[in-house]
Amino acid sequence: MKLLVRVIEARNIPAMDPNGFSDPYVKLSLGKQKFKSKVVKKCLNPSWCEEFAFKVDDLKEELIISVLDEDKYFNDDFVGQIKFPVSQVFDANDKSLGTAWYTLQPKQKKGKNKDCGQILLTISFSQGNTLADLQSVGDHVSLSKKLSDVVSESPLSSNGPLRSSSPLRSEEAASSKEEKPHAQTFAGRIAQIFNKNGDAVSTTNSKAPDVTVPPETASTAASENAQEEQSTSGNFQELLKSIEAREQPSEVPNLSGVVVDQLYAIAPHELNLFLFSPDSAFFKSLVDIQGSTELRVGPWKLENGGESLKRVVSFIKAASRLIKALKTTEEQTYLKADGKSFSLLCIVSTPDAPYGSTFKVEVLYSITPGPELPSGEQSSRLVVSWRMNFLQSTMMKGMIENGARQGIKESFDQYANLLSQNVKPVDAKDLGSEKEQILASIEVEHQSDWKLAFQYFANFTIISTFFIGLYVFVHVLLAMPSTIQGLEFVGLDLPDSIGELIVCGVLVLQGKRVLELISRFMRARVQKGSDHGIKAQGDGWLLTVALIEGNNLAAVDTSGFSDPYVVFTCNGKTRTSSIKFQKSSPKWNEIFEFDAMDDPPSVLDVEVFDFDGPFSEATSLGHAEINFVKTNISDLSDVMVPLQGKLAQACQSKLHLRVFLNNTKGSNVVKDYLSKMEKEVGKKIKVRSPQTNSAFQKLFGLPPEEFLINDFACHLKRKMPLQGRLFLSARIIGFHSDLFGHKTNFFLLWEDIEDIQVESPTLASMGSPNVIMTLKPGRGFDARHGAKTQDEEGRLKFHFHSFVSFNVAHRTFMALWKARALSPEQKVQIVEAEAEAKNLQMAEEDSIGSDFQAADDDSEGKSLQSEEGGSFVGMEDINMSIVYSSVLSVPVSISSALKLSLSYLSLYTYNIYFRRFNLFV
């Protein structure tokens, strides 16, 4: 018999990692049989939707289902488990426990009160069992019950058991004789139990009972299945609408291997129907082109109570250079379908392939809305990514991944070509006019100053102050001059009582408040935010930001509103929007352009402030960060950015932005940047090929405009040194290692690095200098698994050593870091400090002796120039240390002069070797 266990999902899994998440997976065991599900990264409510089959030899065995948290560097953390006796499943109705939520239990009894979460499971026996499956079942369940249960089942039924038309008759079983000791047939054993005193059963009578289904029943079942497939095919859109009405998952798994990333001139829902509708012939055409046969496309069905839409597709995959023809099964499940975006996960099984039972291939089809085309039509972005999910560990993991990578690449090249023949692809370069169209459609909200002043000053403070001032003015006109008394004199009229003093104080405070309001209004009107019609100057990276509106901004004034304005900062340059008075959801419709930058920007900082006058510190209403390295530029053409901060998160504040980043230099930007780096590093830097840049971008998930500058082999120092490679680009420094299939991959922004230091060689660093990169507080936490330490202020420190050419690597680090991270003022200070150090060095050289020092400088400079070449801003030159200095008179005799020359020569030689020794140490 086969026990089927379907692991669907889990909820409320406790956080086991420091980042507040877990990487859960499920481990199942029955006797010596063990299986493992895929790992869901950074999730507390994971979804697996995987099915496992166990062969049951004894009903006394116990099924153990455990949930664990994957840890790359330590033992996996235990989350919780649940146990099921196999007999409990067998004794249940229809031999199935159904689909139900089960509470996970801790491993130790002391932790019973610990909340371990819940898991959704479906546990049942296979409905296709035969009499042969009962051969090794335990004795504690009566075989008569097993026999009647199994005979009453039909292997042709998938919805439930059907009664057999030819059941076993009791008189046939009673007439059987007792089995002889040498009889080994299964029917003989059954007869032995039912007839203890009978004769032995002949081997010719050991056939299984007839369990065939009558033709009427079979035809009825076939017609029902046909009707089901037909109705499912016709109602595919209705099924999609049914899952659209349900709550969509907030996160879709991110698969690293991207094989297709293309824009198409078609709406997202139409592209989804074209690819996955039962009526579409695209998949059949693809199978024909690839040479596959025996295609069987199952109907779309709602499962898990209507929460997921799923179908199964099977075919015989054509033979390739790597493997022979084999049967392939694809289980396609919709993870997301909200009418605008669609995500479909396809789990591909090839059990007939070499080691096919140890892995499954996961392919994710993601369809998202693209930018609007110049013609006004909608576009869609299709991203197809994949990954290998190993169910069992194997030594052939690396070979399997390489073979799958090559096969998937060839398969989806044909997929993209066929799709391009049926749906028009859109080139990103053709969308250049989209920016102008969008910006031209944005109209600034013009409002007269008088109307704005009326709205701003129409409040209780201004109105009450006006009436009080009018009252005082009328009082002055009607009142008679009072006599001089007390300490008063002509021109000075002081209050004559405590009441008058209080009234005067109130009037002064009220007048001060009105003057502040007038000052705020005048200052705000002077601050003009939009630069419509002003084009950025220069050639390079041009950044344009369109600020559309804000939603649910926090109110800090007593009126329940705020006076918000937005500040954009990029590469040390800022742009400030206009101030909107008394608005919680203001509309700006303003455009800001940054002057062309030589270096591609990494981050755009956005912060919203509440204007509180020219003399008061503005209150932050929220901030956000747009990372150009981690985000595709096309996705920023129309985006809602959630704001961070206590006030913003409490109100769920958002900003509606449209961001455009392009390069006006074209292909020359790479050459210009590399030529500038060559002057700083002092070594020729080669331009990498497009294939190398593409591989670099895919390795770290970078946008297409990122280009590789240089790479170095080194060790990452943690508890144990890890051999890998550093990749340097204009915006990031990335580390990658693949040691026996265990991958380490992360990158840092140059702007996030606060300091770069060099430690002297030690035994722990294998005799190589150690480069320590310290990040700014709170930065780079995505790469914290590569950090060696973290200080009390929250700054991560990364250690790298064992460079083949340390000087070249260090010079490149410093050049790229200082070009990105240091402000112009800091660069000027470094240059001035270097000039002073150089002047001081020249003075010391003159005091030692110009001739010998010049010769030494010439030889040392040549050696350094031949090794590294060039100059570098920020690198201190090696100063010659004075070992010995004295003043001697010049002798007249030749022998004395010769001795003096030899003594100077020996002193010079000793000085050279002493400097070499200090440099090595």
Side-chain angles (χ1 to χ4, degrees), residues 265-276 342 367 378 380 423:
I266 187 175
H269 68 279
E270 294 179 359
L271 180 59
N272 175 66
L273 293 176
F274 178 77
L275 295 179
F276 305 112
F342 302 88
I367 302 175
Q378 294 182 354
S380 302
V423 182

Side-chain angles (χ1 to χ4, degrees), residues 6-9 38 47-51 304 308 310 331 333 335 347:
R6 183 171 180 81
V7 181
I8 301 174
E9 60 180 330
K38 65 182 179 181
S47 177
W48 291 285
C49 295
E50 297 185 38
E51 190 173 277
N304 302 333
S308 62
K310 175 183 173 182
E331 183 179 302
T333 306
L335 301 181
I347 300 178

Side-chain angles (χ1 to χ4, degrees), residues 320-422:
S320 64
R321 292 177 297 176
L322 299 176
I323 57 176
K324 61 180 182 179
L326 47 86
K327 184 177 181 180
T328 304
T329 303
E330 295 186 1
E331 183 179 302
Q332 301 177 358
T333 306
Y334 273 96
L335 301 181
K336 183 178 182 181
D338 57 4
K340 298 180 180 179
S341 301
F342 302 88
S343 296
L344 184 139
L345 180 63
C346 180
I347 300 178
V348 184
S349 303
T350 53
D352 298 336
Y355 300 93
S357 60
T358 64
F359 69 91
K360 290 185 178 181
V361 180
E362 298 180 357
V363 181
L364 180 65
Y365 298 84
S366 179
I367 302 175
T368 55
E372 186 177 351
L373 300 179
S375 59
E377 300 176 352
Q378 294 182 354
S379 66
S380 302
R381 182 187 178 192
L382 173 64
V383 178
V384 182
S385 55
W386 72 282
R387 71 179 175 189
M388 296 287 292
N389 183 19
F390 283 90
L391 307 177
Q392 301 175 11
S393 59
T394 174
M395 295 293 293
M396 308 301 293
K397 182 177 180 181
M399 187 185 71
I400 294 173
E401 286 185 338
N402 293 333
R405 183 179 296 107
Q406 180 178 352
I408 288 177
K409 183 179 183 302
E410 295 176 356
S411 176
F412 278 96
D413 285 344
Q414 297 175 342
Y415 183 94
N417 292 333
L418 178 62
L419 184 59
S420 299
Q421 296 174 8
N422 294 273

